[in-house]
């Protein structure tokens, strides 16, 4: 494999892309649309099924009162194709850099002067019966995205860390006075149980087993049989980063694992850009798009060798 990489790394002309963009969500798609419109030789590698694809209705994107995430992807892919961006529907397994970058999928190895990583994150979803039936319509994982949809609803905030306590107070103050907090095993710090009571936030402790309701959410049932009535859930069980294929690169990271980037989203490895929630932790369509555009503009400038 190393021998092959060394040979491939010296490849010239048609074998080398100006830029390979990994991940075809809003961040990667916005980047390839810019690169395509610069007439750059760009390759998008995407396995499909990211967070945007799972968002049933996005309502905070300028000019769209409501748009399904899938529609954003579909429109973005068509726009990228119209500018001759090559698209490979595969999973990237490794990125290496010698003189140039080599990006490996299960089926192929590609070479490029620059790489943009836009592979996003994945929600950790606890094993709760029926969760998928309600995901993104009444089981939410992001206050920035979906907090507004909980206005006036009977809301259960669910999680297993202090962050969920904080979210419960925030939801109570911003959106609804019908909030309960379900903590799996986390004990709130001293004094918080009383503060929750004062705010009218009921506290339950236990492991959620299933969500009940046909079409409309009615309750969470805990393993011990306790029934917690609710119309919506704001859950916070964390996320994983889709960046295992970068493990050979030793990129500089913050203490929480985010990849450190500069003002144009270039990582500590020259030529490798990282856009979207892998760098900031903020997972928003508008932010990913803006970062994808900024990275592509910088790469285009650097590709001029005069
Ligand atoms: C339920 C839900 C609701 C949301 N609501 C909103 C909202 O209202 N407003 C808002 O702004 N944002 C919302 N978001 C978040 C929004 O979807 C993210 O901001 C956005 O996904 C970030 O874009 P991205 O391009 O970084 O990543 P993603 O959209 O996650 O795209 C990453 C892409 O990379 C691909 N990929 C991952 N690993 C690999 C690999 N190894 N090889 C090849 N491809 C790979 C994935 O399959 C995916 O296609 C929501 C998310 C969810 C889940």
């Amino acid at each position: 494999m190393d021998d092959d990489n060394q040979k491939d790394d010296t490849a010239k002309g048609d074998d080398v892309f100006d830029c390979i963009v990994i991940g075809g969500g809003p961040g990667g798609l916005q980047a390839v649309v810019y690169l395509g419109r610069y007439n750059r030789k760009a390759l998008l590698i995407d396995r499909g099924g990211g967070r945007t694809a799972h968002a049933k209705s996005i309502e905070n994107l300028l000019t769209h009162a409501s748009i399904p995430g899938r529609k954003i992807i579909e429109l973005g892919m068509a726009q990228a194709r119209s500018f001759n961006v090559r698209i490979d529907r595969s999973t990237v397994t490794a990125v290496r850099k010698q003189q140039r970058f080599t990006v490996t999928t299960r089926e192929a190895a590609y070479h490029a002067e620059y790489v943009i990583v836009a592979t996003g994150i994945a929600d950790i979803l606890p094993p709760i019966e029926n969760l998928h039936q309600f995901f993104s319509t009444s089981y939410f994982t992001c206050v920035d995205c979906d907090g507004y949809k909980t206005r006036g609803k009977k809301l259960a905030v669910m999680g297993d860390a202090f962050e969920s306590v904080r979210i419960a107070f925030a939801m109570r103050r911003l959106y609804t006075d019908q909030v309960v907090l379900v903590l799996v095993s986390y004990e709130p710090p001293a004094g918080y149980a009383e503060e929750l009571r004062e705010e009218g936030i009921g506290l339950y402790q236990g492991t959620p087993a299933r969500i009940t309701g046909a079409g409309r959410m009615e309750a969470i049932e805990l393993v011990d049989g306790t029934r917690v009535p609710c119309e919506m859930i704001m859950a916070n069980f964390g996320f994983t980063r889709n960046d295992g294929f970068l493990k050979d690169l030793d990129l500089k990271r913050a203490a929480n694992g985010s990849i450190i980037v500069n003002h144009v989203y270039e990582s500590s490895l020259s030529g490798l850009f990282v856009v979207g929630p892998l760098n900031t932790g903020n997972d928003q369509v508008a932010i990913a798009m803006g970062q994808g555009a900024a990275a592509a503009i910088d790469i285009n400038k650097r590709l001029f060798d005069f």
Side-chain angles (χ1 to χ4, degrees):
M1 185 70 199
D2 277 342
D3 282 345
D4 281 355
N5 275 347
Q6 268 173 13
K7 188 170 61 178
D8 291 343
D9 199 57
T10 59
K12 294 269 175 355
D14 285 352
D15 296 336
V16 181
F17 287 90
D18 291 322
C19 184
I20 295 176
V21 177
I22 310 171
L29 285 167
Q30 185 68 82
V32 287
V33 165
Y34 271 70
L35 291 164
R37 289 190 76 251
Y38 289 132
N39 279 331
R40 294 299 183 187
K41 193 172 170 193
L43 169 67
L44 174 69
I45 309 178
D46 180 60
R47 70 179 181 200
R51 285 197 88 228
T52 305
H54 291 118
K56 297 226 166 71
S57 155
I58 290 175
E59 299 175 359
N60 56 5
L61 188 61
L62 197 65
T63 75
H64 291 281
S66 170
I67 181 166
R70 274 185 190 286
K71 191 74 192 168
I72 296 177
I73 306 291
E74 189 188 310
L75 293 171
M77 286 285 179
Q79 204 171 350
R81 278 197 190 92
S82 77
F83 299 119
N84 298 318
V85 172
R86 188 166 150 197
I87 298 173
D88 180 353
R89 295 292 207 167
S90 335
T91 299
V92 170
T93 51
V95 176
R96 295 193 181 85
K97 188 180 181 191
Q98 292 172 311
Q99 199 188 335
R100 297 188 173 96
F101 287 96
T102 300
V103 176
T104 311
T105 68
R106 292 196 182 111
E107 299 82 20
Y110 299 104
H111 310 285
E113 305 290 349
Y114 293 91
V115 167
I116 299 177
V117 176
T119 45
I121 59 175
D123 291 294
I124 296 174
L125 300 177
I128 300 174
E129 215 179 298
N130 301 331
L131 188 160
H132 291 275
Q133 192 183 314
F134 297 100
F135 186 74
S136 186
T137 51
S138 43
Y139 181 104
F140 303 118
T141 57
C142 163
V143 175
D144 301 318
C145 307
D146 296 316
Y148 189 78
K149 293 175 185 163
T150 70
R151 287 172 349 272
K153 301 286 183 193
K154 210 179 283 174
L155 175 70
V157 174
M158 200 161 76
D160 207 20
F162 183 71
E163 182 62 5
S164 296
V165 179
R166 205 184 62 77
I167 291 173
F169 285 120
M171 300 304 291
R172 169 73 181 77
R173 285 166 200 178
L174 290 173
Y175 300 120
T176 173
D177 54 12
Q178 303 177 74
V179 179
V180 295
L181 175 60
V182 180
L183 295 172
V184 179
S185 57
Y186 176 78
E187 290 284 343
Y192 273 90
E194 195 173 326
E195 265 197 58
L196 287 165
R197 246 192 323 275
E198 279 167 15
E199 291 269 350
I201 301 172
L203 176 61
Y204 294 84
Q205 282 181 302
T207 304
R210 70 189 59 79
I211 300 172
T212 60
R216 272 189 166 181
M217 186 182 288
E218 286 171 4
I220 309 169
E221 277 178 18
L222 306 185
V223 166
D224 68 6
T226 306
R227 187 174 179 276
V228 184
C230 61
E231 295 167 286
M232 291 189 169
I233 295 172
M234 184 59 72
N236 178 52
F237 289 98
F239 60 86
T240 55
R241 295 184 172 83
N242 299 325
D243 63 356
F245 57 89
L246 297 174
K247 64 181 181 313
D248 297 332
L249 295 180
D250 196 25
L251 304 174
K252 279 199 183 131
R253 291 181 185 255
N256 69 0
S258 300
I259 298 171
I260 295 175
V261 290
N262 66 14
H263 65 292
V264 288
Y265 308 104
E266 188 172 17
S267 71
S268 56
L269 178 63
S270 174
L272 185 107
F273 293 67
V274 178
V275 304
L278 288 180
N279 69 40
T280 61
N282 284 327
D283 196 16
Q284 290 290 283
V285 171
I287 292 174
M289 284 181 177
Q291 294 185 357
I297 289 171
D298 195 70
I299 288 169
N300 181 53
K301 283 185 193 151
R302 285 162 62 170
L303 282 164
F304 287 109
D305 53 2
F306 54 85

